[in-house]
Amino acid sequence: MSYWNDKAKRLLKSELVRRGISNADLANLLEQIGIEETKSSIDSKICRGTFSASFFLQCLTVIGCEKIEIVEYENQLSIAAEPQAEYNLKK
């Protein structure tokens, strides 16, 4: 997997984990804004790390992520979003 695919995958996955949102939950949230994705298609996209910027932004929007910060330390990816922030889960 390329470095950039891995970076995108880890960023999206970390935001989902922070909010306790599963890929099935994500599919339901995306459906609410008219995006048709199945849990399986989301699993595949995230596993490969190959998804469009549009998909990435759609996911971040529906999970309520308004700000992300990407920091690298000695070739190890450390990702944090909205540090010290309270998350509002969308139902």
Side-chain angles (χ1 to χ4, degrees):
M1 177 181 303
S2 83
Y3 169 79
W4 295 108
N5 291 354
D6 188 50
K7 195 170 191 174
K9 165 187 168 175
R10 292 174 66 185
L11 178 57
L12 180 54
K13 194 66 178 169
S14 69
E15 292 306 318
L16 292 170
V17 169
R18 286 179 206 283
R19 291 164 173 80
I21 297 174
S22 70
N23 289 353
D25 296 333
L26 181 58
N28 291 329
L29 291 168
L30 288 168
E31 184 178 351
Q32 291 175 16
I33 64 165
I35 308 300
E36 294 183 23
E37 292 284 349
T38 64
K39 178 194 175 298
S40 296
S41 68
I42 291 171
D43 289 344
S44 295
K45 286 179 181 185
I46 294 176
C47 182
R48 289 188 317 261
T50 55
F51 41 80
S52 69
S54 296
F55 175 78
F56 184 68
L57 292 174
Q58 291 162 349
C59 291
L60 294 179
T61 299
V62 299
I63 66 173
C65 182
E66 296 175 355
K67 181 179 178 181
I68 58 174
E69 181 180 332
I70 303 169
V71 181
E72 282 190 61
Y73 296 101
E74 299 177 21
N75 295 329
Q76 292 202 350
L77 186 60
S78 173
I79 301 172
E82 302 175 66
Q84 308 289 323
E86 297 214 10
Y87 298 112
N88 296 321
L89 298 178
K90 294 187 177 187
K91 297 282 177 173

